[in-house]
Amino acid sequence: MYDFKTVVRRDAQGSSKWKLMTQHNNHLDPSIVPLSVADTDMVMAPEIVQGLKDYLEVMVLGYTGLTQSYYDAVIGWFKKRHNWDVEASWIVESPGVVNALFNLVAAFTKVNEGVIIMPPVYYPFRSSIEKQDRVVVENELIYKDHGYSINFEDLLEKAQDPNNTLLILCSPHNPVGRVWTKEELTKIAEICYDNNVLVISDEIHFDLILPGFKHTVFSQVSDKAYKNSIIATAPSKTFNLAGLQTSNLVIANPELKATFKQYMDKTPFHALNAIGPKACEIAYTQCDAWLEEFLALIETNRRMFKEFIESKIPAIKVIELQGTYLQWFDCTELGYDDETLNKILIDTCDLYLDAGNLFGASGKQFQRINIACPTHVLQDALIRLEEGIR
């Protein structure tokens, strides 16, 4: 049994979400934890802690490249967890998926070209486009009966515009929690390949799939997807390693890889830090049991959240969480605008979440809560939510 009950206070560790919370109110009850940014405030997997201690006993922290044992660990994890056969030559390291998105947009599009996203969606997607003078093209998800689906008719129309040359796919989707089916992914692959739209699939949450659902790696759904995609992965969400800035891009198409390498040769990026890859290697070879318990915690918290809201605050509609640990919920029927809703949550409920409008206009009057926390923390947060709304 692993420790998923202890809260590690990170206000003195440089955590931005803790800093923002305490800056807003430095007299909060010490039991209150921010439930916003997608990392966790729990004890690290002991295998990773001990493995890094052992590593630092002998390691020289000079300039360090990737090792064969690292490639073996990553390839082994992909095969074991996702039945995905990857060659070492396809793996391109990056200091984080967001960093990779910025570089991929720059490498594969020109100024003023359109990049398609599916809002409401993880907000750095938009930043990676707008801040590099590309055009955001919205293929808004269809919201119906408190669930989300892809608007394929609109996607086809957007893909047929020759100025739109790239799609950034979020799979599983953050924040709406969808795990796309193989059929949905195949349809995306067909539309994009036939219209010369490259697909970047952000699959950073692909290990965090809840019971009853199955994740399919985008490049595996068809030959068209295999030839026309770049898959972005990382151990950061699965094992809470975001601070070590290690991610893996998988680029099976040698022409795409050559184009990306040509772009990266013009940047100052040289190599990952010496510790991040080792942490990834340890996680991927020693932490299966820890992950299974972590997934069980997420499922327990998902059920509790849904049951509590449906029984105590039925005006709030809980969107089915299929993957990730980020629960999306609809507050429209409460009748508050975003400013009022956020003020109530923060000032009355002592809840520090992510406001839905961060993810685009279609996220207005929604909220995203990080449920990867000790169950007692989520339970206390729900009680404060009920009392504050009442």
Side-chain angles (χ1 to χ4, degrees):
M1 292 290 291
Y2 293 96
D3 182 0
F4 290 107
K5 296 181 179 179
T6 300
V7 174
V8 178
R9 290 194 61 88
R10 298 171 61 208
D11 40 352
Q13 295 184 359
S15 168
S16 57
K17 68 178 180 181
W18 281 80
K19 182 178 180 180
L20 288 171
M21 181 181 77
T22 53
Q23 282 179 341
H24 179 79
N25 184 353
N26 60 5
H27 299 294
L28 285 169
D29 186 295
S31 67
I32 292 175
V33 175
L35 300 172
S36 53
V37 174
D39 62 12
T40 74
D41 306 298
M42 295 182 290
V43 175
M44 294 291 299
E47 294 87 349
I48 296 174
V49 175
Q50 186 59 52
L52 289 179
K53 287 180 179 178
D54 295 342
Y55 177 66
L56 290 171
E57 289 286 345
V58 298
M59 181 60 182
V60 175
L61 299 177
Y63 296 115
T64 306
L66 299 182
T67 64
Q68 186 59 49
S69 61
Y70 175 81
Y71 286 114
D72 291 344
V74 173
I75 291 168
W77 184 261
F78 290 167
K79 179 63 176 177
K80 177 173 57 179
R81 303 294 301 197
H82 301 284
N83 196 28
W84 182 22
D85 292 308
V86 169
E87 297 179 12
S89 62
W90 301 354
I91 297 172
V92 179
E93 68 268 37
S94 172
V97 168
V98 171
N99 183 287
L101 290 177
F102 273 78
N103 285 325
L104 289 164
V105 168
F108 289 102
T109 65
K110 298 181 178 68
V111 170
N112 294 326
E113 283 188 345
V115 180
I116 303 169
I117 59 174
M118 296 178 174
V121 73
Y122 183 49
Y123 43 88
F125 285 18
R126 184 180 298 274
S127 300
S128 73
I129 301 164
E130 291 179 336
K131 290 184 178 180
Q132 300 189 96
D133 299 317
R134 276 66 171 172
V135 179
V136 173
V137 179
E138 295 193 352
N139 170 227
E140 188 173 313
L141 296 177
I142 297 170
Y143 178 55
K144 183 179 180 181
D145 299 328
H146 311 301
Y148 285 87
S149 60
I150 296 168
N151 187 337
F152 285 107
E153 183 178 345
D154 181 69
L155 177 60
L156 176 60
E157 181 181 333
K158 301 289 171 59
Q160 287 174 333
D161 183 338
N163 192 60
N164 300 333
T165 57
L166 187 68
L167 165 69
I168 306 179
L169 175 68
C170 199
S171 180
H173 193 283
N174 170 17
V176 310
R178 271 298 314 273
V179 173
W180 305 119
T181 65
K182 185 175 180 180
E183 291 71 25
E184 288 170 315
L185 296 172
T186 302
K187 201 165 183 178
I188 293 171
E190 290 278 336
I191 290 172
C192 290
Y193 183 89
D194 293 348
N195 291 283
N196 299 310
V197 175
L198 175 64
V199 178
I200 297 169
S201 185
D202 174 1
E203 306 195 15
I204 195 170
H205 293 276
F206 73 159
D207 295 321
L208 303 172
I209 307 302
L210 295 178
F213 301 94
K214 176 177 172 52
H215 177 81
T216 303
V217 175
F218 180 79
S219 63
Q220 297 299 94
V221 300
S222 68
D223 189 55
K224 289 182 177 180
Y226 172 84
K227 292 176 179 177
N228 189 49
S229 65
I230 295 171
I231 313 301
T233 77
S236 52
K237 303 304 178 187
T238 311
F239 297 103
N240 206 33
L241 300 176
L244 292 181
Q245 300 177 323
T246 298
S247 65
N248 295 293
L249 306 180
V250 179
I251 312 178
N253 184 325
E255 293 181 6
L256 294 178
K257 184 181 176 184
T259 298
F260 188 58
K261 183 179 185 304
Q262 186 178 36
Y263 171 79
M264 290 303 294
D265 285 345
K266 301 173 185 177
T267 73
F269 174 69
H270 172 66
L272 300 177
N273 69 72
I275 297 178
K278 178 53 68 172
C280 177
E281 181 182 328
I282 295 165
Y284 282 176
T285 55
Q286 299 180 34
C287 294
D288 295 74
W290 183 93
L291 176 57
E292 293 308 316
E293 289 194 24
F294 184 45
L295 289 169
L297 171 74
I298 297 168
E299 173 63 7
T300 295
N301 288 355
R302 180 200 69 79
R303 288 177 177 272
M304 184 179 71
F305 186 92
K306 183 175 187 293
E307 291 167 3
F308 185 98
I309 295 296
E310 288 178 347
S311 64
K312 303 290 187 180
I313 324 174
I316 292 176
K317 306 305 176 186
V318 179
I319 311 307
E320 181 182 43
L321 183 61
Q322 302 176 354
T324 83
Y325 50 67
L326 303 166
Q327 177 67 66
W328 188 240
F329 58 101
D330 182 355
C331 300
T332 306
E333 290 184 17
L334 292 177
Y336 303 117
D337 60 27
D338 285 324
E339 183 178 357
T340 304
L341 176 62
N342 291 332
K343 185 174 178 59
I344 291 171
L345 293 177
I346 294 172
D347 293 337
T348 304
C349 305
D350 289 332
L351 282 175
Y352 294 82
L353 314 180
D354 276 324
N357 57 10
L358 287 172
F359 305 90
S362 54
K364 290 180 178 179
Q365 296 177 293
F366 284 74
Q367 293 283 321
R368 190 192 78 172
I369 183 171
N370 178 347
I371 63 169
C373 60
T375 300
H376 69 87
V377 169
L378 182 61
Q379 188 171 35
D380 290 346
L382 285 167
I383 291 170
R384 296 199 307 275
L385 175 62
E386 181 198 9
E387 292 176 348
I389 294 298
R390 186 171 63 238

